[in-house]
Amino acid sequence: MQRRQRRRTGTIAAGSALGLTAVLGGCGLTGGSEDVTLKLVAAEYGDSAANSSQKYWSRVADSYESNHSGVKVDVTVYSWNDVDRKVKELVDAGQAPDMAQIGSYADYAAKNLLYQADDLLSISTQADFASQLATAGRVKDVQYGMPFAASTRLLFYNKGLFSKAGLTPPQTWKDLAADAAALKAEGVSYPYALPLGPEEAQAETMQWLLSGGGGYTDSFGTYGLDSTENVATFTWLKDELVDKGLTGPVAPGKLNRAAAFSAFADGDVGMLNGHPSLMKMAKKGGVDYGMVRMPGHNGPSKYSMGVADWMTAFKQNGHARQVGEFLDFVYSEENVLDFSREYDLLPVTNSASEAMSVGERDAGLKPFLDALPQSETYPVGRTSWAEVAAAVKNHIGEAVAPGSDPARVLGGLESTATKADSRS
């Protein structure tokens, strides 16, 4: 096997996108002659037996094992509803897997349970990660979360409904409100679908906050949910869309993303924020759709919301070398492209992104790829984020409810965030 180039403890490659320090020390590298079974827990991205994640991982594991004698890869796949809980149960029981592909990493990193990326990956693999995703995987400037899958959001619109109403895609908030009013006049059920229900309200919220020049955190990384910009954004949403009946028959706080997507695929939605999987749903429903950047105050928003899922590696079993070599294989251009194309997701590496950006078969994803470099992710490096996200899911819909005060609701969420952060 070809020896891979690694960083030495305490050295940092100048100009690297990842300013990481290694703390290998006594991390327990297993001898090369010993047979090892690596246990990986992964999330399900498929929607049927034909494209299950188990099938994907079986192909990857079989290919790896055929060229690496003495190493077996045992993969267990759980649904997204269960995978984070299953991993926590294993960790709490002292049976941590070698790797877990899950939705968050900060809690495990804070407990010193994870290898740093620098302990595992070759320099070339680390350098290939999209820089903003690699940065999002850091806790106190050290990368523990390795991005595995990515997505951005764009504004989808129903071309048929827009044509019937004589509309063009919106570029500003004013355009969006005017288009929504015209669609309502044409009898469209959801002129703009605003899913602030508990399923994924934190995503819709972040997209709007970014388009209004705000976000969950400020430029110093401190929570700022009740910033002037954020209050102005939700005041505008309430006054110009919700109170004017332009968001449909279901109150935004009760409307979940899945229901909004289904309504779009049924032809009942004029506009909504969506990720790449909505393309397939819309095509299946026979909806001719277009996609544009999220409108902002004076033109298309500069920033899009980005989402990443994370690969983590636990120290407990001491298989750093084998885990690192397997992950270098997982993050090869071929494997990243295969996964991204199978599940309509964006590559997390520069090499795969470049290949996809020029591939005819990937033309549908190009607008999302173009948005990725200017995307911002949730503050997942903070152990408080899970609590803050749960509070947003449960309460942000109240900010646009009849008779509500957006400033009061956002102030309450900021108080929750500040308290959660002080405990972390």
Side-chain angles (χ1 to χ4, degrees):
M1 186 187 310
Q2 185 177 2
R3 184 178 179 84
R4 299 178 310 136
Q5 189 179 16
R6 291 186 177 276
R7 300 176 191 264
R8 296 180 181 273
T9 303
T11 62
I12 303 177
S16 170
L18 305 176
L20 306 175
T21 57
V23 292
L24 267 176
C27 65
L29 298 184
T30 305
S33 61
E34 182 180 346
D35 287 348
V36 168
T37 297
L38 299 177
K39 294 189 177 296
L40 166 64
V41 174
E44 178 61 79
Y45 289 85
D47 55 15
S48 68
N51 71 342
S52 71
S53 290
Q54 191 71 56
K55 279 192 171 184
Y56 169 81
W57 282 113
S58 293
R59 292 196 304 269
V60 171
D62 288 347
S63 178
Y64 185 78
E65 291 169 1
S66 67
N67 291 298
H68 296 79
S69 61
V71 179
K72 298 294 182 184
V73 183
D74 180 10
V75 184
T76 305
V77 174
Y78 294 102
S79 74
W80 271 111
N81 291 330
D82 298 324
V83 66
D84 289 281
R85 174 176 56 83
K86 291 288 188 181
V87 170
K88 184 179 185 302
E89 290 173 354
L90 289 169
V91 172
D92 290 347
Q95 300 173 355
D98 294 286
M99 296 162 283
Q101 184 264 301
I102 48 181
S104 62
Y105 62 86
D107 283 344
Y108 297 125
K111 296 174 183 176
N112 198 31
L113 298 177
L114 301 179
Y115 285 117
Q116 299 177 20
D118 203 33
D119 296 340
L120 305 169
L121 302 176
S122 66
I123 292 174
S124 58
T125 297
Q126 291 186 72
D128 199 26
F129 284 135
S131 61
Q132 78 276 21
L133 299 179
T135 299
R138 296 177 183 174
V139 176
K140 297 179 179 178
D141 295 326
V142 177
Q143 186 179 4
Y144 294 94
M146 293 164 277
F148 183 75
S151 176
T152 54
R153 299 291 195 271
L154 294 173
L155 183 76
F156 282 68
Y157 64 96
N158 184 312
K159 286 186 174 181
L161 296 179
F162 264 61
S163 177
K164 183 179 179 182
L167 303 175
T168 57
Q171 294 191 349
T172 66
W173 285 2
K174 183 178 180 180
D175 295 341
L176 189 149
D179 287 351
L183 291 166
K184 181 182 180 182
E186 291 289 335
V188 176
S189 297
Y190 294 88
Y192 177 84
L194 182 65
L196 296 178
E199 180 189 5
E200 204 190 29
Q202 82 281 8
E204 182 74 10
T205 297
M206 185 170 178
Q207 186 67 68
W208 276 99
L209 297 184
L210 290 172
S211 72
Y216 285 119
T217 58
D218 61 23
S219 58
F220 299 101
T222 303
Y223 283 117
L225 280 84
D226 62 347
S227 69
T228 301
E229 294 86 356
N230 292 347
V231 170
T233 294
F234 267 82
T235 299
W236 186 90
L237 275 173
K238 182 179 185 303
D239 293 348
E240 301 300 327
L241 291 185
V242 181
D243 286 354
K244 292 181 178 180
L246 302 180
T247 56
V250 179
K254 301 293 185 182
L255 182 64
N256 282 324
R257 182 199 65 182
F261 278 21
S262 293
F264 187 83
D266 289 339
D268 296 328
V269 174
M271 298 172 281
L272 85 168
N273 283 314
H275 52 63
S277 68
L278 184 56
M279 297 189 299
K280 186 180 295 183
M281 291 181 64
K283 289 177 182 176
K284 188 175 181 179
V287 172
D288 187 16
Y289 64 89
M291 301 179 296
V292 294
R293 289 258 187 160
M294 178 68 182
H297 279 300
N298 301 311
S301 175
K302 180 179 179 181
Y303 297 107
S304 171
M305 189 196 74
V307 177
D309 302 324
W310 303 98
M311 180 68 74
T312 58
F314 288 87
K315 294 179 178 179
Q316 180 180 317
N317 301 320
H319 296 149
R321 180 175 62 81
Q322 291 87 350
V323 168
E325 290 172 352
F326 176 67
L327 290 179
D328 276 346
F329 178 75
V330 167
Y331 284 111
S332 68
E333 180 180 325
E334 178 182 359
N335 284 328
V336 172
L337 279 172
D338 284 348
F339 181 86
S340 302
R341 286 167 171 162
E342 181 71 36
Y343 301 110
D344 290 326
L345 291 166
L346 304 184
V348 297
T349 61
N350 295 317
S351 58
S353 292
E354 290 167 6
M356 187 173 275
S357 67
V358 297
E360 288 187 15
R361 62 184 293 186
D362 305 308
L365 286 172
K366 193 173 188 311
F368 294 97
L369 281 169
D370 291 343
L372 187 61
Q374 289 80 41
S375 65
E376 291 194 12
T377 62
Y378 302 130
V380 290
R382 309 174 85 98
T383 56
S384 57
W385 170 242
E387 183 176 345
V388 175
V392 171
K393 288 180 181 182
N394 291 326
H395 297 293
I396 194 62
E398 299 167 13
V400 296
S404 70
D405 177 5
R408 181 188 61 80
V409 175
L410 289 168
L413 290 170
E414 174 65 14
S415 178
T416 297
T418 300
K419 291 176 182 177
D421 215 30
S422 68
R423 292 193 296 269
S424 63

